[in-house]
Amino acid sequence: MQWEAASLFATPVFKFSMGDMQNLVKFFHETIKNDVGDERDAQGALSHYFSRFNVFEKYAEFSSLQSKLSQMGGFVYRDLMHYQKSGDLYFTNAWLNLCEIGGSQPAHNHVNCLLCGTLYLHADENTHLNFYHPLNNSSFHSELYDRAADDVPNAHGLKFHRREAKISVKSGDCLFWPSWLKHGYSDNKTAGRLSLSFNMMPDKLNVDYQPFMQS
Ligand SMILES: [Fe+2]
């Protein structure tokens, strides 16, 4: 029996290492937490800070980081993902997430953007993010749903049946992924897990219909 398998339509998650983030962790705990006011949304052990805003515009301390992430996002979208005929990327919003032990974030994806990213300001050996296959229980496709025997590669080394993938991260790691891709985590085991998430959008799409942009 001769056979071969082609792996079609791969989904990318890119990881960059941005080095030490202790200054920003300190700034968050000493300043941002104290003056956040109503712009904090708590869901149990997980709190979002400025999730309806662009935190880069609120604090000058983030300006150098903003410019690095902007450059990296452009490289990811235009060079690595090959959207070379689209416009320049801009941040539609950026916010901070603080999660204590036991906290979770259910599977979700982001709107109002085409590229998403999360920079881990404080992580440890237990910190990770799960990504979920688009054809799962919450899919809007009408496919039948079945569950494979387990989530590890099969005896032939193939993993087409996998419905979730775990990416481990360290402090200073920054992940980028396409905005439609669902992600989340459960039962966080990192005390003071702190991340900065952001959404990015090109200012011009390489198609006939363009997104509405407020001037
Ligand atoms: Fe998210």
Side-chain angles (χ1 to χ4, degrees), residues 46-172:
L46 171 64
S47 295
H48 303 291
Y49 293 75
F50 303 107
S51 56
R52 294 183 298 278
F53 299 88
N54 182 344
V55 76
F56 295 136
E57 292 171 357
K58 293 205 168 266
Y59 296 99
E61 285 79 358
F62 284 113
S63 65
S64 139
L65 181 63
Q66 178 182 14
S67 112
K68 278 185 207 158
L69 292 174
S70 176
Q71 194 179 12
M72 289 158 63
F75 173 65
V76 166
Y77 195 73
R78 296 170 66 89
D79 292 70
L80 301 182
M81 294 173 69
H82 208 51
Y83 290 93
Q84 296 200 323
K85 292 185 175 175
S86 302
D88 292 330
L89 288 185
Y90 65 96
F91 292 100
T92 54
N93 53 333
W95 66 100
L96 291 146
N97 314 288
L98 177 65
C99 189
E100 296 302 346
I101 288 177
S104 299
Q105 189 164 42
H108 66 284
N109 60 353
H110 294 193
V111 295
N112 195 29
C113 57
L114 284 174
L115 183 68
C116 296
T118 294
L119 166 62
Y120 291 85
L121 300 174
H122 175 70
D124 64 18
E125 67 279 4
N126 297 312
T127 317
H128 66 274
L129 187 60
N130 291 329
F131 289 93
Y132 304 99
H133 195 289
L135 298 178
N136 59 20
N137 268 327
S138 59
S139 168
F140 49 79
H141 296 271
S142 56
E143 65 160 18
L144 286 168
Y145 184 74
D146 197 4
R147 189 183 296 277
D150 51 40
D151 198 37
V152 297
N154 66 17
H156 306 279
L158 301 178
K159 45 190 180 183
F160 297 119
H161 58 283
R162 295 187 76 177
R163 286 295 180 264
E164 65 180 78
K166 172 177 155 181
I167 302 277
S168 294
V169 289
K170 304 190 298 288
S171 296

